[in-house]
């Protein structure tokens, strides 16, 4: 449990941890300000009492050893990675437990209700046992509108090949286009032919096989979409 001073104040707010356990999406426990990993030998000692944690700052003594500094960074990252899941599950609890009161309670805090609703919607699409700690909440959000079997299939691929959220998005979009043809009269489908040396095509195919389970054409489309998004973000224009 995290207690924050005056949620509506703009002053820096100190955060202090109490001895209540919280499960994270990665099967970790937060206990008295401590993240303990369930994997053997990975238990983490608590944050040092000399650390100063406020809503807009974090400071450590100048003589903090690098090993301790590194451990604290991993701990903070674990908390950050889990916070979207926690807030989503927290709102779901309020919606189910206090259907007539939870909105008023949220209005009395600085929490943004629409953001919380987005977190809760994603959380409802993935039962706890289907959430994957090795990919981010944003990966799950990209897939939340899909059928559960498709969600699991794409999560497995993202996990196996180390795809970023944007790469996952591009590959899902490419798969949809190839499956539907997108020939509904609003966005005509074109056939593109490219002449390249055989050695170059073979190299591309090896790259596709090593980074995904999708077919070669889907891989090419995803790579081109990724390059286009980097050069011209969605809604933008070149130059």
């Amino acid at each position: 449990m995290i207690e924050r001073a005056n949620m509506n104040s703009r002053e820096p707010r100190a955060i202090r941890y109490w001895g209540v356990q919280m499960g994270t999406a990665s099967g970790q426990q937060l206990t008295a300000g401590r993240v303990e990993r369930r994997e053997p030998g990975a238990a983490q000692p608590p944050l040092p009492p000399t650390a100063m944690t406020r809503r807009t700052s974090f400071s450590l003594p100048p003589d903090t050893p690098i090993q301790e500094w590194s451990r604290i960074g991993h701990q903070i990252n674990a908390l950050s990675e889990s916070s979207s899941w926690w807030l989503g599950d927290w709102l779901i609890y309020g919606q189910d437990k206090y259907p007539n009161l939870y909105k008023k309670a949220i209005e009395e805090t600085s929490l943004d209700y629409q953001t919380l609703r987005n977190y809760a919607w994603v959380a409802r699409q993935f039962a706890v046992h289907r959430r994957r700690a090795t990919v981010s909440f944003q990966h799950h959000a990209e897939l939340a509108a899909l059928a559960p079997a498709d969600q699991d299939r794409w999560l497995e691929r993202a996990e196996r090949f180390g795809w970023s959220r944007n790469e996952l998005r591009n590959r899902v979009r490419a798969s949809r286009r190839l499956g539907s043809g997108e020939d509904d009269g609003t966005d005509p489908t074109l056939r593109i032919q490219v002449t390249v040396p055989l050695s170059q095509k073979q190299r591309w195919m090896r790259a596709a096989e090593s980074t995904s389970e999708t077919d070669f054409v889907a891989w090419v489309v995803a790579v081109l979409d990724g390059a286009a998004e980097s050069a011209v973000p969605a809604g933008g224009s070149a130059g």
Side-chain angles (χ1 to χ4, degrees), residues 143-223:
L143 306 172
L146 302 181
D150 291 331
Q151 292 172 347
D152 291 339
R153 178 167 56 90
W154 284 108
L155 284 174
E156 168 67 25
R157 293 177 176 179
E159 186 176 48
R160 180 182 303 180
F161 301 113
W163 294 342
S164 67
R165 187 273 308 272
N166 286 341
E167 186 169 7
L168 173 62
R169 176 190 297 171
N170 290 334
R171 291 181 184 277
V172 172
R173 287 177 178 175
S175 178
R176 286 174 176 169
R177 282 196 294 272
L178 291 173
S180 66
E182 288 195 357
D183 191 9
D184 58 1
T186 60
D187 190 4
T189 300
L190 303 178
R191 180 181 295 275
I192 299 176
Q193 293 184 332
V194 179
T195 301
V196 297
L198 177 60
S199 60
Q200 190 171 12
K201 178 184 177 182
Q202 291 173 337
R203 182 186 179 196
W204 291 352
M205 294 184 72
R206 288 195 300 271
E209 291 171 357
S210 67
T211 59
S212 76
E213 291 180 347
T214 55
D215 60 49
F216 176 64
V217 175
W219 177 84
V220 170
V221 173
V223 170

Side-chain angles (χ1 to χ4, degrees), residues 13-236:
R13 284 168 276 191
I15 300 173
R16 62 177 183 269
Y17 299 93
W18 297 83
V20 178
Q21 292 186 336
M22 291 179 170
T24 72
S26 59
Q28 300 175 339
Q29 292 289 333
L30 172 63
T31 308
R34 176 175 70 235
V35 169
E36 294 179 344
R37 300 182 184 276
R38 292 176 181 269
E39 293 79 9
Q44 300 286 332
L47 284 174
T50 51
M52 178 62 70
T53 55
R54 295 186 178 276
R55 186 169 179 83
T56 59
S57 67
F58 177 86
S59 60
L60 289 169
D63 58 349
T64 300
I66 188 170
Q67 295 85 354
E68 179 72 353
W69 170 82
S70 177
R71 181 194 66 76
I72 292 171
H74 283 86
Q75 179 178 342
I76 294 172
N77 182 65
L79 292 170
S80 175
E81 289 282 333
S82 301
S83 63
S84 297
W85 289 118
W86 291 355
L87 286 169
D89 289 338
W90 172 79
L91 181 60
I92 290 172
Y93 180 92
Q95 290 172 333
D96 295 343
K97 186 76 171 178
Y98 309 108
N100 299 320
L101 299 173
Y102 78 94
K103 284 187 178 180
K104 179 174 177 57
I106 291 173
E107 289 172 357
E108 295 173 353
T109 74
S110 61
L111 300 173
D112 180 72
Y113 179 59
Q114 185 56 53
T115 299
L116 291 175
R117 284 188 61 187
N118 293 340
Y119 290 159
W121 180 74
V122 175
R124 285 190 184 276
Q125 310 313 307
F126 294 92
V128 173
H129 70 276
R130 294 182 53 237
R131 301 174 187 177
R132 302 191 181 225
T134 52
V135 294
S136 71
F137 179 87
Q138 286 71 31
H139 284 77
H140 291 76
E142 288 293 331
L143 306 172
L146 302 181
D150 291 331
Q151 292 172 347
D152 291 339
R153 178 167 56 90
W154 284 108
L155 284 174
E156 168 67 25
R157 293 177 176 179
E159 186 176 48
R160 180 182 303 180
F161 301 113
W163 294 342
S164 67
R165 187 273 308 272
N166 286 341
E167 186 169 7
L168 173 62
R169 176 190 297 171
N170 290 334
R171 291 181 184 277
V172 172
R173 287 177 178 175
S175 178
R176 286 174 176 169
R177 282 196 294 272
L178 291 173
S180 66
E182 288 195 357
D183 191 9
D184 58 1
T186 60
D187 190 4
T189 300
L190 303 178
R191 180 181 295 275
I192 299 176
Q193 293 184 332
V194 179
T195 301
V196 297
L198 177 60
S199 60
Q200 190 171 12
K201 178 184 177 182
Q202 291 173 337
R203 182 186 179 196
W204 291 352
M205 294 184 72
R206 288 195 300 271
E209 291 171 357
S210 67
T211 59
S212 76
E213 291 180 347
T214 55
D215 60 49
F216 176 64
V217 175
W219 177 84
V220 170
V221 173
V223 170
L224 290 174
D225 273 346
E229 186 168 338
S230 296
V232 185

